Structure formats: structure tokens, C-alpha cells
Amino acid sequence: MILIHEILLKGSFFGYTDDWIMIQDIHQSRKEIMHILWNRSHETKEFFCDDKWISLPANSLATLNSLYHIRMDERSNGIVSFFFNRDFYCIRDHDHEVSCNGILFFGAQEIPIVSIPKSKEQMFDALWSVFIEELKIDDPIQNEMLLALLKRFIIQITRIVKENKNLNSLDSVNLDKIRRYHMLVDEFFRTKKKVSDYAVLLGIAPNSLSNLMAESNQISPLSVIHNRIILEVKRLLLHSNKSLTEITEELNFEDSAQLSKLFKKKTNFSPMEFKKQFMNPINFTAKGNIDKKKGNSDIYRLIKAE
């Protein structure tokens, strides 16, 4: 099932599917699509992201921004997805409404895997039902209803993560500093590689930033920067045709040796050894049956145009 609400004049869309395989190639070719994956089966499922398979336990969620390269196959059956683009709801611009950046989306150091607590299962199931119902209604206020539901969905997921990571013990000022740090690294990791660079942007001393991260059981600020760089190198190695020299220039390293040294330190592989491992990527052949796709959305038109 694929349900999509879209406003053609704005280029915005919000959708839901329980058959990701049918549309994943289209999603790979489009930019700025955010995803909230939800394993609604009763057993752990897997999806492939960037360079590895991610296990998603039963009744758990994963939030992914548009930078991730997601693939699924039969191992993923049972994972449903809510997806939307920036024109429908811009997470960055509306962070003040949902306070999730640096926790769920941009700047999150790992893919957040969020298990829905037993005490909240009924509420999340009810929210899912309302989403499906609203997506089937075509009226002038459908857009506003879906926006309100999406905000509530994101806020509820963020609350679970904060509780699980004990972030609620921090006061709001310090929590915002940590979130801002993650977001700044995500934005400037290509040009700023020192903790002191970000401390200046945050208006605090580097040691204070390190202490704040330690108090909240976060990895060190420098590890945050290095991990983001390595993630980008992996993506460029696997999902672009750029040479190591070009990647070195794009990430503003002095030379390839410097970048390779950091890469090997963090992964135990040289960049070329890492890429060689994925020269014959996992075969994702299932693309679904185009005849099953119905509707007039932008996404469907792209499928039919192939």
C-alpha cells in the first residue's frame, strides 16, 4: 500500500508505504526525503543503510534524514515508512516546534533506533491509524491535519529518546548546546575540524563543551567530528564516482595520506580496502510491480516515466 498527499504547486508531499521495495529506487534518485521507519511486525527486521545492515526490533522506529542511502529487500518485510520532503515540513527550519535536530535527524551521530515502550504502544498504534485515515481523505484541510500529526509523531519519538538517553536530566540550556553542537558539526565538518572552532560558535570554552558531553554520556566532541567525517568518506566512496583525491579536496584535508590515516584509525581499513569490500554490493533486485502503483502523485509519474 502506498498513500501520498501532495501539493503540486508547492512541490510538497507526505506519504506512507508498507511496500518500500516498490519505490526505493525512486527515493534513491530524489533529494531531501526524510524517513521514519517503523517495524510493525512481531520480529526483528533489517534494512540496509549506507554500508551496513541495521537491525530494527519489533515495534521500533528509526529516523533517517535525506543523506542516508537506504535499501530494503525481503528481510525488511514488515517495516513501514512515513516519508516527506522539505517542502512539506522542514525539520531544520521548524526545530523550535519539535526540538528533534541533533537527536533524531540532523546531527544524530547514530541512526536512532527507538523502541516503543509498552506503556505507549496503544497511543502510537492510534496515531498510526489516524495517519492512515487522514491520508485517505482528500479535503482542503488534509495538509494541516497531516502536519499536526507529523509534529506530534516526531515529538513523541523525541520524548522517548530523551528519556532513554537520560537527556531529561539536563537543563534546557545545556541540552540545546549539545543539540546545537551536533547540528553545527553536521553543517561544518568539511571546513571545521577542531573542537575549538565549534566552541567559538557555541560561545563556550572547549573544556566546557567536553565536560558537558561527558556529563550527558555522549562521546567526546572530537569523536563527533571524526565520526561525521568518516561517515561522509564512506558515502562518497560507495555512492559517488569521486576518487580519493577528489574526496580529500572536498573534505578540505591537506592530502590523501592525512585522510587515509584518520579513516584507518576509525575503521581499521584504508579507504580503498573499504571500497573494495563493497565492489559487489548486495543484490537488491526486487523493485515491485509498477502495475500495482495507483494515483497521480509526482512520485508515481516519475515511476511511470522510467
Side-chain angles (χ1 to χ4, degrees), residues 20 24 28 35 37 46-55 62-72 76 110-113 231 234-235 238-239 274 278 282 284:
W20 175 277
Q24 64 180 348
Q28 284 291 312
H35 301 93
L37 307 182
E46 295 180 304
F47 63 96
F48 194 80
C49 187
D50 284 341
D51 65 319
K52 58 189 175 185
W53 284 96
I54 305 293
S55 293
T63 54
L64 300 102
N65 64 39
S66 57
L67 301 176
Y68 287 103
H69 296 262
I70 310 166
R71 305 291 287 182
M72 295 193 193
S76 314
E110 298 177 349
I111 297 172
I113 304 296
L231 176 60
K234 287 180 176 179
R235 285 173 174 164
L238 299 181
H239 304 291
F274 174 80
F278 291 88
I282 297 168
F284 296 97

Side-chain angles (χ1 to χ4, degrees), residues 82-293:
F82 292 95
F83 54 90
F84 56 97
N85 67 354
R86 179 174 181 170
D87 293 307
F88 179 77
Y89 188 66
C90 179
I91 294 289
R92 285 187 186 275
D93 292 349
H94 296 87
D95 183 62
H96 61 284
E97 295 178 344
V98 291
S99 299
C100 69
N101 282 333
I103 297 176
L104 296 187
F105 292 102
F106 301 101
Q109 284 300 297
E110 298 177 349
I111 297 172
I113 304 296
V114 186
S115 293
I116 300 174
K118 288 287 183 185
S119 60
K120 294 183 182 290
E121 284 184 353
Q122 188 174 1
M123 183 269 289
F124 271 86
D125 283 340
L127 192 53
W128 176 84
S129 297
V130 178
F131 262 126
I132 300 304
E133 183 180 340
E134 284 298 330
L135 277 164
K136 292 178 179 177
I137 298 174
D138 185 11
D139 67 18
I141 62 171
Q142 184 190 33
N143 194 74
E144 292 306 312
M145 283 295 292
L146 290 171
L147 268 176
L149 287 170
L150 177 61
K151 291 177 190 177
R152 184 180 179 193
F153 196 28
I154 292 172
I155 289 171
Q156 291 294 345
I157 299 171
T158 304
R159 284 175 175 168
I160 295 174
V161 175
K162 285 181 176 177
E163 187 171 341
N164 290 345
K165 293 189 173 183
N166 202 29
L167 295 177
N168 288 329
S169 62
L170 297 172
D171 63 49
S172 59
V173 174
N174 284 334
L175 178 57
D176 280 346
K177 285 178 181 175
I178 291 176
R179 293 201 310 117
R180 278 195 64 207
Y181 176 66
H182 287 296
M183 293 164 63
L184 288 169
V185 172
D186 206 49
E187 184 174 357
F188 295 114
F189 69 93
R190 291 178 179 81
T191 55
K192 300 183 186 300
K193 298 176 173 57
K194 296 179 180 177
V195 174
S196 56
D197 294 334
Y198 296 94
V200 169
L201 294 175
L202 290 168
I204 62 176
N207 285 343
S208 298
L209 177 58
S210 297
N211 293 337
L212 187 57
M213 296 289 281
E215 289 172 9
S216 58
N217 297 317
Q218 305 264 318
I219 61 175
S220 72
L222 186 60
S223 292
V224 172
I225 299 169
H226 286 171
N227 287 351
R228 184 63 185 90
I229 291 170
I230 297 304
L231 176 60
E232 192 66 15
V233 175
K234 287 180 176 179
R235 285 173 174 164
L236 292 171
L237 285 170
L238 299 181
H239 304 291
S240 81
N241 295 319
K242 294 182 178 179
S243 67
L244 183 59
T245 300
E246 292 172 314
I247 294 172
T248 299
E249 292 175 356
E250 180 170 327
L251 299 183
N252 289 293
F253 276 77
E254 291 182 2
D255 52 50
S256 299
Q258 185 187 36
L259 176 59
S260 296
K261 183 178 179 180
L262 175 63
F263 192 89
K264 187 150 190 173
K265 179 181 177 182
K266 301 294 287 188
T267 67
N268 293 322
F269 294 101
S270 71
M272 291 304 102
E273 288 172 341
F274 174 80
K275 184 172 183 176
K276 190 176 179 180
Q277 286 187 321
F278 291 88
M279 287 298 287
N280 296 309
I282 297 168
N283 186 20
F284 296 97
T285 56
K287 295 184 178 179
N289 184 346
I290 290 177
D291 292 338
K292 291 182 179 178
K293 301 179 177 69

